[in-house]
Amino acid sequence: MKKVYTCFCTDMIHDGHMNIIREAKKLGSLTVGVLCDSEMIKYNRFPLKTLEERVEMVKSIPEVDEVVVQDNLMYDKVIGELKPDYIIHGDNWEGEAMQAIYHNIVDNLSKYGGELVSIPYTYNPVVEKLDRQNREKLAMPEYRRARLRKLLNIVPVVKTIEAHSGLTGLIAEKTVVAHDGAIDQFDAMWVSSLCDSTEKGKPDIELVDMTSRFRTIEDIMEVTTKPIIFDGDTGGLTEHFVYTVRSLERMGVSAVIIEDKVGLKKNSLFGTEVQQTQDSIENFSAKIAAGKESQLSDDFMIIARIESLILEQGMEDALSRAFAYVAAGADGIMIHSRKKSPDEILEFCDRFRAKDKETPIVVVPSSFNSITESELAEHGVNIVIYANQLLRAAFPAMEKAAKSILTHHRAHEIDSDLLSIKDIITLIDEI
Ligand code: SPV
Ligand code: MG
């Protein structure tokens, strides 16, 4: 009896999967791998069913002889252990990620003469509709809102990229890379006050009002499914903050981060070059407590952002604020710095973690950008936010195009730097 293996990364079994299963079964005894949660997130999207439910779903298919959990998108381990004679896979091999998987399977099978069998991928209107319905579910407020807390339990670091429009939301949602034998994508989105304001040509001083900030969230939500962390600036007056919390929860935002400053807020990256005033521990703790009190769902998170290092108030001040804000009910702590070196951030994380093993730590490595996510995770960081890179990438590219057209009195010279006309008109999927 030949050994046959195929891996499923799905919440539902449709015609396409059954076709693969029937073809696989013709070749021998069939083992099906169910991809674990953390790898499913990198490959496809957030699972709607738990791993246990997905395993049960596959076990209930009569043609399946055995079910295993595949704990990596790449096949090295599973092929090494099972040594199947055949691996069966849909023939949808287009794109960077699928090509990386294809080569990984072929390389591993070639070590002992196993064979890859590609089955035409079924994508009929029924399958397509089911797929769209599942995606739609992920975008619903309750599903989306709850996912940040779930992610914190699944991945070592929640990789979060800023989005300030539908288009940047799509980049956050869809960008996938295959690199160094792994596939990766972002886990969540950050709606930055700096980027939201700059996109509107306004300074980052809480001038863009909440109604407009909510509009930006809506634009992003309409075309994405990933969870959103909202930059709530100072949170405003406590009497206003409680309403903001309710609105964000209702929209399906997963978390708001508010910073402990009062008066005219300026962007933290100015540091002490501009006048900025830190709130008292008592006032800010009361704001956090009022926010938590007003919140209706269990999944929404209020994260307290500490500006002590930005405002050069010292490590002891930062730490005592962190413990006070957690005691007031904060679901996470964001510690910020504008130093090039990550040293003060790492010292904060180590000292905070020595006393508090649970409360999630958030960092925004805009200045201290040489440190990697895994190095930060080793010091207890749970969420890394790339807070402004998409906007900063777009501006020089747009300015270069404008200057080239003005210089040459035509668009010919810049054209090769631009997205092709074909690509721009087909970039957005129609329903
Ligand atoms: C933002 O992105 O708006 C932030 C992070 O608040 S920072 O600009 O570094 O202050
Ligand atoms: Mg901000």
Side-chain angles (χ1 to χ4, degrees):
M1 191 71 153
K2 298 278 189 189
K3 273 198 266 178
V4 190
Y5 181 75
T6 189
C7 180
F8 280 175
C9 169
T10 183
D11 283 308
M12 58 174 178
I13 302 294
H14 56 55
D15 283 0
H17 300 118
M18 284 313 296
N19 186 35
I20 287 181
I21 284 175
R22 279 189 293 267
E23 292 303 317
K25 188 67 188 168
K26 286 182 196 163
L27 297 172
S29 140
L30 174 59
T31 301
V32 177
V34 174
L35 195 64
C36 70
D37 290 346
S38 57
E39 294 293 293
M40 188 159 162
I41 292 167
K42 290 183 195 168
Y43 171 72
N44 190 342
R45 55 173 177 241
F46 202 92
L48 287 164
K49 289 195 166 90
T50 64
L51 178 64
E52 293 69 32
E53 287 167 341
R54 299 200 301 281
V55 166
E56 284 312 312
M57 172 182 81
V58 175
K59 270 190 182 160
S60 69
I61 304 170
E63 288 88 342
V64 175
D65 298 302
E66 210 185 318
V67 179
V68 295
V69 173
Q70 185 171 324
D71 63 9
N72 199 297
L73 265 170
M74 294 303 163
Y75 283 64
D76 308 60
K77 188 170 156 214
V78 72
I79 290 182
E81 282 171 8
L82 293 177
K83 295 243 168 355
D85 298 287
Y86 300 106
I87 293 229
I88 314 292
H89 200 287
D91 66 351
N92 49 326
W93 293 119
E94 306 93 51
E96 206 178 314
M98 295 311 292
Q99 278 296 305
I101 293 173
Y102 174 84
H103 290 295
N104 175 267
I105 295 176
V106 170
D107 288 351
N108 276 294
L109 289 175
S110 72
K111 288 177 191 162
Y112 61 94
E115 207 183 309
L116 171 64
V117 180
S118 299
I119 307 278
Y121 189 67
T122 318
Y123 208 65
N124 59 34
V126 180
V127 172
E128 202 177 323
K129 183 154 185 211
L130 284 169
D131 209 37
R132 259 194 282 124
Q133 279 174 337
N134 266 6
R135 194 170 286 275
E136 204 51 48
K137 231 186 213 178
L138 285 172
M140 289 297 160
E142 309 77 49
Y143 281 96
R144 194 196 295 250
R145 190 177 57 223
R147 275 216 308 288
L148 183 62
R149 281 196 192 272
K150 288 188 182 152
L151 273 170
L152 283 164
N153 290 322
I154 297 175
V155 297
V157 173
V158 178
K159 302 178 295 292
T160 306
I161 182 95
E162 70 99 348
H164 54 267
S165 59
L167 190 62
T168 47
L170 282 177
I171 288 182
E173 179 83 9
K174 292 190 171 183
T175 306
V176 180
V177 290
H179 180 66
D180 264 354
I183 289 171
D184 220 344
Q185 55 177 291
F186 289 104
D187 301 306
M189 296 176 283
W190 164 246
V191 179
S192 148
S193 68
L194 173 64
C195 297
D196 205 356
S197 308
T198 307
E199 179 65 20
K200 292 171 173 61
K202 299 267 171 67
D204 181 17
I205 54 171
E206 297 188 275
L207 175 64
V208 177
D209 68 17
M210 273 302 161
T211 310
S212 170
R213 304 281 319 276
F214 289 170
R215 183 65 238 172
T216 303
I217 295 176
E218 288 290 357
D219 286 345
I220 295 166
M221 283 186 160
E222 272 193 50
V223 293
T224 62
T225 64
K226 290 183 179 175
I228 290 179
I229 305 173
F230 181 68
D231 177 359
D233 287 320
T234 65
L237 295 172
T238 299
E239 293 82 349
H240 294 174
F241 180 56
V242 292
Y243 284 91
T244 305
V245 166
R246 285 276 179 88
S247 305
L248 292 170
E249 270 192 290
R250 197 168 48 241
M251 291 166 88
V253 170
S254 302
V256 63
I257 300 187
I258 52 169
E259 60 196 91
D260 57 357
K261 289 200 298 231
V262 282
L264 181 61
K265 188 222 79 152
K266 300 260 176 78
N267 184 275
S268 298
L269 301 176
F270 281 122
T272 50
E273 289 159 30
V274 293
Q275 173 66 41
Q276 309 210 52
T277 314
Q278 201 166 13
D279 202 351
S280 68
I281 294 185
E282 295 67 36
N283 277 343
F284 198 67
S285 297
K287 195 183 282 187
I288 294 164
K292 287 310 291 177
E293 185 63 35
S294 70
Q295 166 183 337
L296 293 178
S297 73
D298 293 331
D299 357 278
F300 187 74
M301 299 172 77
I302 297 180
I303 298 174
R305 164 171 167 174
I306 297 162
E307 292 286 291
S308 305
L309 303 180
I310 291 284
L311 300 173
E312 297 176 6
Q313 294 304 301
M315 187 61 67
E316 301 308 324
D317 185 68
L319 285 162
S320 55
R321 284 172 178 270
F323 296 121
Y325 300 159
V326 172
D331 300 295
I333 291 294
M334 175 184 150
I335 182 69
H336 206 16
S337 161
R338 64 177 196 131
K339 295 255 163 73
K340 281 252 166 237
S341 149
D343 290 354
E344 64 178 11
I345 288 285
L346 298 183
E347 184 188 340
F348 174 92
C349 293
D350 292 343
R351 291 181 60 185
F352 182 74
R353 274 283 168 264
K355 288 208 184 141
D356 182 332
K357 305 266 180 273
E358 298 297 323
T359 308
I361 302 179
V362 185
V363 298
V364 178
S366 302
S367 302
F368 48 102
N369 56 18
S370 56
I371 192 158
T372 62
E373 291 150 8
S374 55
E375 288 166 329
L376 287 164
E378 278 167 25
H379 292 267
V381 170
N382 307 85
I383 301 180
V384 171
I385 299 179
Y386 299 98
N388 47 45
Q389 285 74 10
L390 295 186
L391 187 86
R392 285 165 59 207
F395 187 86
M398 291 193 287
E399 192 178 46
K400 184 177 174 198
K403 281 188 175 170
S404 173
I405 294 168
L406 267 183
T407 305
H408 301 287
H409 301 286
R410 62 181 193 179
H412 175 73
E413 283 73 13
I414 195 69
D415 204 69
S416 58
D417 285 15
L418 309 179
L419 198 63
S420 74
I421 299 279
K422 178 174 170 286
D423 284 347
I424 189 72
I425 59 178
T426 54
L427 186 68
I428 311 295
D429 297 331
E430 287 181 28
I431 293 179

